[in-house]
Amino acid sequence: QIQRALRSLSIPLERLHIMKGHMMQDMCKGLSRQTHAQAKVRMLPTFICSTPNGTEKGNFLVVELCQNQVRTLLVTLYGDGNMSPEMMYKIFDLPESITQGEGEALFDFIAQCVSQFLAETLSSDTTGSDTKHLPLGFVFPFSCRQTQLDKAELLSWSKGFNCSGVVGKDVVQLLQKSSQSAPGQLWHVEVVALMNDTVGTMMTCSMEGRPCEVAMVADKGSNCCFMAEAYLVETAEETSGRMCVNTEWGCFGDDGTLNDILTPYDESVDKESYNPGEKRFEKLVGTLYLGEIVRHALIALTAEKAVFTETNIAVLKDKGVFTIQHVLDIANNEDGITEVRRILEALGLQPSERDCGRVQQICRAVAGRAATLHATGLAAILSYMCQTRDLESLMVNVGVEGELYAGYPRFEEIVLHVSRLLSPDCTATILPSRDGSGRGAAMVTAVALRLAAQRCAVDEVLAPLRLSRADLEKVQALMREEMERGLCKETNASASVRMLPTYVSHTPDGTERGDFLALDLGGTNFRVLVVRVTEEGVSMASEIYVIPVGIMQGTGEELFDHIIDCIIDFQTKQSLVTHMLPLGFTFSFPCKQIGLDKALLLTWTKGFSASGCVGQDVVQLLRDAAKRKRHLGMDVVALVNDTVGTMMACGYDDPKCEIGLIVGTGTNACYMEEMRNVGTVEGDQGRMCINMEWGAFGDNGCLDHLFTHFDSVVDDSTINPGKQRFEKLISGMYLGEIVRQILLVMTEKELLFQGKASPKLQTKDIFKTKFLSTIELNGLPLRQIRTILNELELEASFEDCVLMREVCQTVSLRAAQLCAAGLAAVVEKMRENRGLDQLNVTVGVDGTLYKLHPCFSNNLQKTLKDLAPNCNVTFMLSEDGSGKGAALVAAVASRAAN
């Protein structure tokens, strides 16, 4: 019988693996918004997103509600790494009548304890506002649904409490209300954080330079918390960084998943509890229940005549007579049976030598099983952390506190051994917690205040970049005004949005046939293409060529000679050198177009400054270079801006595509305008594509109210200060540099990187816009952001990574919103031009920022829908607008000529 009893209390390793898997599944259910209500492992968000960094200082009050006590504590931190906090405390006995009475009486009692403690601890003439105004951390070790750090509704009482009128109420509000009405209160106490003892345990273990991200309490109840990736905590709004999740694993198994390991002794303990069928896991491991499990095991074994055959065990019939202290004293005894006999005799039993040995075996089995089950739960959490952080292996510190941990020397050994067997990729180091529910709670409160102060400072830095709907409506209205000015012959010259006619009046009709060359010049690289248009569709071949900086910034002749050399090379490789092919020339710089094949360069952008080109016809410059090189294999029939090419390429597949948009290194838009509105070209019939050149929007000062300090610094350092102002707020060429300027200011204010900027961060253009795209990827592990920052030689904490992501999101969101405001002006003008209640139109769009940034397109589309609700706008990604589109313009032009 004794061996059967011991076997029932021993769980095989295979069964522990199954249990670990079940717990991980239940953790995922608890984190999901859809399944949270059904999960037994509740996974409650604590809204604690950071651990101490050692700079916290001030006076912090803590009140802890214990099983039969209220503990008050005053902790003073000095910002010295929290190595030497000063602490004063007082413990008040909590009458049982209050734990079973009305909720209001409980919170009034707590407030009175706090008031009395402060009266005894702090003299009334103590100077300093930090004493008069005391932040309080409330340790409330019961299941709550927390919606903010200082807002939590009680879900259920446990540990013998059953106060009326509290379940479903905000316990922070109840304590705050009682504190304000407490008699003789000289200090204003503000409850700033509520937590349970498990969270406090983690925080106190994080105090001495060792980050602690998991805590386990093995006490009367049992629980565990850990720092989860915030985006996985769907029941909270936070998506950046990490958040401490309170697992509330005591209810694990309430759905029956532990039924096969429950012994008859566990069933008896459950039946006698005040909450049968609930907290099944906690009743296997909590010290409140271990003595009871042993008591029922001894009663059962006595009935089977396996123990106490010669003594009366009536004493064991009394609930609570066999305590956890008895279990631990007997289990830990290594000095023969004398001490065990003494303990049992003190209970009123008359044990034999055999009885003493068997009782000790049962006590060790019950305590060992509790430690093993703690290890299984911990293994589930460690494996979950390792998987969700995308790590091959995890090394983590685990803060542990509680009666079982402190009183059972083998607890740590069993936990480490079993968790390693169950999670071989994870290595846990146990850190003993020192007063987690007191000192740790003070740390939670201190960190909350530090983060609140930091949040104010961060918001102050980022506020100028955050645009309201009114700001965006104003931008939309200003863009519309500038468009009208650009279209009007009298005001065109002074308009910042030039509204240049492109002489493209038609989109492809499907009858175009033949081979066409395209030249795409818009940056440091350029492409030469041959586009074959057949009945089957469009096919292309292309090659990319580089323009050295020396040529970009040299003379115009050198630049265009280099381009012709590359065209000759391409035609030779394609065996087209003897063919005279029509060529569409995509030229992505501001031009005044005075014919389809005639355009005067207005200004260079994107780092180009080749001399002798501004004011000249760029088509003629290309033809002159061809003459110099004696190349006769091409005929330039159309000059096309890349935005127009994008519209044409998409127009080939979608006849509703009448807008082109580029958001890449630069930004621009074009659209089909009614000829009657184009005052700069003769004729009123039909439509013409207008190249807006909206990158220069605001060059006349109309957007100065939106320009921040960061934008001005970036603008001043460009090769064209004061020019292309709108583009410098939106395009990929500048966003990384704007972010860098913000990081420098935040570092200077000691909001980032401990106030230490690396020499690399001081380097212009070192922060690439592609970093924004990577950093803003949803679910990107923070360690990957850390890797980017390490490339910049920055020592980044996880908090730095979270803030870094927020800076990037703020800058890219503003860019998308401004782009949408400009586009809203365009679609609304088209709708009004055509006298429509609702406009259906497609935007052909290209550019790396739009295509590669994870949030830009969604933010743009959402803002556009809000600003232009009467326009149904579809976005179509361009397949090579500047190449295929330019060739299609050439094809349409050749068709018209023929």
Side-chain angles (χ1 to χ4, degrees), residues 253-520:
D254 286 7
D255 57 357
T257 50
L258 296 178
N259 286 1
D260 61 322
I261 67 161
L262 297 177
T263 66
Y265 329 127
D266 300 313
E267 298 288 14
S268 299
V269 170
D270 181 53
K271 275 181 197 153
E272 287 184 2
S273 69
Y274 75 93
N275 55 350
E278 296 176 13
K279 300 243 176 188
R280 299 313 296 264
F281 186 70
E282 186 163 288
K283 287 172 185 169
L284 298 175
V285 299
T287 58
L288 193 62
Y289 305 98
L290 299 190
E292 282 297 286
I293 296 170
V294 171
R295 183 175 74 86
H296 279 287
L298 295 180
I299 290 170
L301 289 168
T302 302
E304 294 173 350
K305 297 191 168 31
V307 292
F308 300 129
T309 53
E310 299 168 13
T311 182
N312 185 341
I313 63 151
V315 66
L316 288 179
K317 298 289 170 69
D318 295 336
K319 185 180 175 185
V321 70
F322 208 97
T323 67
I324 182 60
Q325 201 53 56
H326 294 131
V327 176
L328 295 176
D329 288 346
I330 292 170
N332 295 337
N333 178 59
E334 301 288 351
D335 302 326
I337 62 164
T338 308
E339 180 61 17
V340 178
R341 186 191 296 278
R342 187 192 67 72
I343 293 167
L344 294 175
E345 286 177 350
L347 283 169
L349 298 164
Q350 297 298 318
S352 67
E353 187 171 327
R354 187 185 72 163
D355 292 338
C356 293
R358 290 185 171 182
V359 170
Q360 186 172 49
Q361 283 180 294
I362 294 294
C363 287
R364 285 177 173 171
V366 168
R369 182 182 70 161
T372 299
L373 290 173
H374 274 101
T376 307
L378 178 62
I381 283 167
L382 298 180
S383 289
Y384 179 83
M385 290 172 72
C386 192
Q387 287 172 21
T388 54
R389 294 183 184 188
D390 195 24
L391 298 172
E392 289 180 10
S393 61
L394 174 76
M395 294 183 71
V396 70
N397 290 327
V398 180
V400 186
E401 189 168 30
E403 198 172 13
L404 186 60
Y405 169 64
Y408 183 43
R410 289 205 62 219
F411 182 88
E412 182 172 336
E413 174 196 335
I414 293 170
V415 164
L416 290 175
H417 176 66
V418 175
S419 64
R420 196 67 201 261
L421 286 174
L422 295 174
S423 300
D425 297 332
C426 305
T427 305
T429 301
I430 300 289
L431 300 180
S433 169
R434 287 191 290 154
D435 191 17
S437 52
R439 189 173 160 188
M443 292 312 308
V444 173
T445 311
V447 168
L449 290 180
R450 171 172 64 79
L451 291 182
Q454 184 192 52
R455 171 46 46 200
C456 285
V458 167
D459 286 344
E460 194 179 324
V461 173
L462 295 180
L465 295 128
R466 292 179 169 145
L467 304 179
S468 66
R469 193 177 194 281
D471 291 329
L472 296 172
E473 286 172 346
K474 187 173 180 183
V475 172
Q476 181 181 348
L478 287 167
M479 177 68 84
R480 177 65 181 267
E481 282 176 30
E482 288 298 299
M483 287 169 70
E484 302 289 5
R485 284 164 51 80
L487 287 170
C488 176
K489 190 173 183 181
E490 289 72 30
T491 54
N492 172 268
S494 62
S496 68
V497 180
R498 298 301 301 278
M499 304 296 282
L500 307 171
T502 65
Y503 297 87
V504 172
S505 303
H506 302 282
T507 50
D509 65 3
T511 64
E512 298 80 11
R513 298 287 180 272
D515 289 353
F516 304 92
L517 286 175
L519 169 61
D520 174 14

Side-chain angles (χ1 to χ4, degrees), residues 86-162:
E86 208 172 277
M87 292 189 282
M88 293 181 280
Y89 69 92
K90 184 178 175 72
I91 293 171
F92 298 85
D93 289 331
L94 181 62
E96 189 177 347
S97 60
I98 286 183
T99 68
Q100 305 299 313
E102 291 183 5
E104 191 175 335
L106 171 68
F107 288 98
D108 284 348
F109 180 82
I110 296 170
Q112 286 161 19
C113 293
V114 170
S115 189
Q116 187 182 330
F117 170 61
L118 290 177
E120 294 173 9
T121 308
L122 299 173
S123 60
S124 58
D125 60 353
T126 303
T127 55
S129 59
D130 59 333
T131 308
K132 294 291 184 189
H133 181 96
L134 278 171
L136 181 143
F138 185 20
V139 181
F140 190 73
F142 304 96
S143 290
C144 289
R145 187 177 74 86
Q146 202 157 354
T147 51
Q148 293 172 24
L149 191 55
D150 60 352
K151 190 173 176 60
E153 292 173 8
L154 177 64
L155 294 173
S156 62
W157 287 113
S158 59
K159 301 169 189 168
F161 278 71
N162 195 17

Side-chain angles (χ1 to χ4, degrees), residues 498 500 519-526 547-563 585-592 599-622 639-641 665-667 693 695-696 699 715 718-725 727-728 733-734:
R498 298 301 301 278
L500 307 171
L519 169 61
D520 174 14
L521 175 63
T524 51
N525 296 334
F526 76 99
I547 303 178
V549 175
I551 289 178
M552 281 169 62
Q553 297 174 1
T555 67
E557 280 195 7
E558 289 169 342
L559 174 62
F560 285 95
D561 283 355
H562 176 71
I563 291 167
F585 183 10
T586 299
F587 188 70
S588 306
F589 300 91
C591 288
K592 182 181 180 185
L600 309 179
L601 175 63
L602 295 173
T603 179
W604 283 119
T605 57
K606 305 174 194 174
F608 279 73
S609 59
S611 62
C613 298
V614 173
Q616 300 299 307
D617 175 6
V618 290
V619 173
Q620 196 55 49
L621 292 175
L622 188 64
L639 181 126
V640 187
N641 170 278
T665 311
T667 182
E693 287 298 340
D699 285 7
D715 182 42
T718 59
I719 58 168
N720 56 347
K723 305 283 187 193
Q724 300 294 109
R725 301 293 296 272
E727 181 167 271
K728 287 171 184 171
M733 189 167 188
Y734 305 100

Side-chain angles (χ1 to χ4, degrees), residues 15-24 376 379-380 383 422-423:
R15 181 62 185 83
L16 295 177
H17 271 292
I18 294 167
M19 190 190 304
K20 174 194 157 188
H22 282 153
M23 186 170 274
M24 288 179 75
T376 307
S383 289
L422 295 174
S423 300

